[in-house]
Amino acid sequence: MTHSNTPSTLVMIFGATGDLAKRKLFPSLYHLYQKGRISKEFAVIGVARRDWSDEKFKEHVKSSVLNAIGTSENIDEFVSHFYYQSHDVSDSDSYQALKNLATELDERYQTNGNRIFYLAMAPEFFGTITDHLKADGLTDTSGYKRLVIEKPFGHNLESAEELNNRIRESFTEDQIYRIDHYLGKEMVQNIEVIRFANAFFEPLWNNRYISNIQVTSSEELGVEERGRYYEKSGALRDMVQNHMLQMVALLAMEPPIKLTTEEIRSEKVKVFRALRPLKDDEVDQYFVRGQYDKGVSKGQKVRGYREEENVDPSSNTETYVAGKLMIDNFRWAGVPFYIRTGKRMETKSTKIVIQFKDIPMNLYYGMDKPLAPNLLVIHIQPEEGITLHLNAKKSGQIIETTPVKLNFANTSIDAMNTPEAYEKLLHDCMRGDATNFTHWDEVKLSWAYVDEISKVWEATRDVNFPNYEAGSVGPKAADELLAKDHFHWWPILDLDVDQC
Ligand code: BG6
């Protein structure tokens, strides 16, 4: 194992006994360690309320890694870098104790005072923690200090602004790493490469050749044990404000002049600024909401959203959103970007379909019928790859066309699984690369867009919920949204790489 020149660092994980740390953070750190991507001189302090010992914490980290990855090579050496501090987020004495431990570990591991504060816990504590980190001297360090912050970043523009102002009293914008884990996904990162490293896409990537773009992120699971959070969030805040809009920005942005964090962000921000805002009476023409009813998922009967734990039996929270976004700039004027996301849908899948405009006429046999349109499909998950849908000659005497698919499956090239989003994002943060984190300007503009929709939805209580069966493709109204424009959703299951 060779260890990289990523600067040595001390990572403090607030919420270290929680689910995110267990499922994502520890396994990601382990992967980075095993691949030699983090400096050998690193230490992690798990910070949480429970009264655990270092030993108990190390055992917890060990079992999290084993559960997630199933291997244990070098695990003892790995967990020897982990420490635990029982902590009360609003008590200065707790921060003092944390500071003493941090200073000791800084020295022991020669971390040069580099510190990452990772807030993997309930958002109501974000402000309190950052206030204390500054007031109690944890940010007084000779090395870099970076704050990694999980979503939700606010509940609307107003609360996000409040939170941002508070955090900014302790950290500067360039020290803040706001996580959107979709930006760590291999194929989301590939969008820019596909667009900007190929001669034949970029010239066509505009309203002269593209008729519409569809971004779908569907989930099979329901709300699980997150009812309390989800009731206040719904799919609009949970998925659209962040992940869906980020994918739209990457698809729509202009080529940056350089691949620097600032240049890429500045192009994404321009997309958000060009998003056509919706007036109150337009929301229903552009957006559809849904809520799942009982149904069958993976052969099992499942309950409806209103029957889930910690959910109001007459809840009007949406578990599905479909929308049509217009980007009012020269490149995209007239091209709808359709997005849809939902829980308890027929399959777990994130895909982007770029549909090209029809060519002027069909010269071939069956010329009275239009040719199938060319599609570029970007498979984000679970499979990763690209498919290009073309028309070719059908074998035989008659010159007749047939649709064919050119496939590239990402995993087949490396013959291994691509790294997890969190692994990449943690590594980026350690290296000080904030490109795949969201800048405040992006967060602000996406909240402003989404707030218009939630304002109208929250004011209309007579919603026809539930309106789609669990295990289905979502509400009918989502089909009508596209039918009005003479388009239709490309069926997700038919687009699978494996079926090509
Ligand atoms: C999270 C949402 O941000 O993304 C969850 O809070 C959702 O509700 C999840 O399930 C989806 O992420 P992925 O990577 O499984 O598509």
Side-chain angles (χ1 to χ4, degrees), residues 113-355:
N114 293 331
R115 291 181 182 172
I116 293 176
F117 305 95
Y118 197 121
L119 309 193
M121 55 189 307
E124 57 263 36
F125 300 120
F126 291 168
T128 312
I129 296 174
T130 55
D131 286 354
H132 274 286
L133 289 176
K134 182 172 182 199
D136 295 318
L138 277 119
T139 54
D140 286 339
T141 166
S142 51
Y144 68 63
K145 42 186 177 289
R146 296 181 185 143
L147 177 76
V148 184
I149 193 157
E150 279 289 333
K151 67 177 262 270
F153 197 87
H155 180 71
N156 52 22
L157 178 56
E158 197 188 337
S159 56
E161 233 155 13
E162 234 169 69
L163 174 63
N164 198 53
N165 291 341
R166 189 152 170 207
I167 291 173
R168 289 290 300 274
E169 283 172 17
S170 310
F171 290 86
T172 56
E173 177 63 32
D174 64 353
Q175 293 169 336
I176 303 174
Y177 289 66
R178 296 179 195 80
I179 291 247
D180 183 317
H181 77 283
Y182 267 57
L183 296 181
K185 290 189 191 282
E186 187 66 22
M187 288 307 293
V188 172
Q189 296 190 350
N190 217 334
I191 295 173
E192 280 172 70
V193 184
I194 294 166
R195 287 190 54 195
F196 304 135
N198 291 300
F200 49 76
F201 288 132
E202 198 46 30
L204 307 183
W205 210 264
N206 55 51
N207 52 10
R208 268 172 292 152
Y209 298 101
I210 289 179
S211 72
N212 74 91
I213 292 184
Q214 304 181 8
V215 185
T216 302
S217 193
S218 68
E219 295 186 74
E220 246 168 24
L221 292 179
V223 70
E224 308 290 287
E225 69 291 347
R226 294 165 74 218
R228 193 164 292 127
Y229 151 77
Y230 203 82
E231 274 288 88
K232 287 195 246 119
S233 153
L236 189 66
R237 293 185 171 101
D238 188 49
M239 292 290 291
V240 175
Q241 181 267 337
N242 36 64
H243 313 320
M244 303 302 282
L245 288 182
Q246 283 291 329
M247 286 191 281
V248 169
L250 290 169
L251 289 162
M253 73 188 207
E254 293 300 315
I257 54 170
K258 280 193 220 124
L259 285 181
T260 59
T261 306
E262 291 71 26
E263 295 301 343
I264 294 173
R265 280 172 166 177
S266 131
E267 294 306 337
K268 281 164 68 190
V269 165
K270 281 190 213 156
V271 174
F272 291 123
R273 286 173 48 207
L275 272 181
R276 185 185 299 171
L278 301 177
K279 299 196 189 80
D280 287 3
D281 58 356
E282 290 172 335
V283 167
D284 287 343
Q285 292 164 43
Y286 284 80
F287 273 81
V288 166
R289 55 181 155 163
Q291 185 191 75
Y292 64 83
D293 199 353
K294 59 183 177 320
V296 177
S297 175
K298 285 195 193 154
Q300 299 282 320
K301 279 193 184 161
V302 293
R303 56 191 170 181
Y305 178 70
R306 288 178 175 180
E307 284 85 56
E308 301 278 19
E309 252 164 67
N310 296 319
V311 168
D312 177 352
S314 56
S315 171
N316 277 341
T317 300
E318 78 287 349
T319 60
Y320 176 99
V321 175
K324 166 175 160 179
L325 286 75
M326 298 305 291
I327 297 171
D328 290 332
N329 62 20
F330 254 58
R331 187 187 282 263
W332 295 115
V335 180
F337 282 67
Y338 299 110
I339 57 168
R340 62 177 163 165
T341 180
K343 295 210 181 276
R344 278 279 184 245
M345 313 254 312
E346 62 174 343
T347 186
K348 165 85 181 163
S349 170
T350 304
K351 281 190 182 34
I352 296 166
V353 182
I354 293 109
Q355 179 175 342

